[in-house]
Amino acid sequence: MENDVEQRYPMTFAVLRNAADRISNWKNVTPQAKTRKRIEITKVVVALINTL
């Protein structure tokens, strides 16, 4: 399913992947803050999947 999203929304998917990578590299940030941001990205991906 992830491939469908990537093919249908390549720019959006690239932006989300970039954001996820940047969040992973955050320094001096609590694990809870990282988790909250990952959850936000996951919600966007799920919303995109629901449009397929």
Side-chain angles (χ1 to χ4, degrees):
M1 187 63 84
E2 187 175 292
N3 270 349
D4 293 341
V5 174
E6 190 170 7
Q7 289 173 359
R8 189 145 180 194
Y9 305 101
M11 292 300 293
T12 302
F13 198 81
V15 168
L16 292 171
R17 179 175 285 153
N18 187 349
D21 289 344
R22 293 173 89 192
I23 288 167
S24 302
N25 295 324
W26 277 354
K27 306 278 190 261
N28 301 322
V29 176
T30 64
Q32 293 88 352
K34 287 184 182 184
T35 301
R36 267 196 307 274
K37 286 297 177 185
R38 286 188 188 112
I39 290 169
E40 289 175 18
I41 291 172
T42 301
K43 288 179 181 178
V44 173
V45 170
V46 168
L48 287 172
I49 288 170
N50 289 335
T51 66
L52 294 177

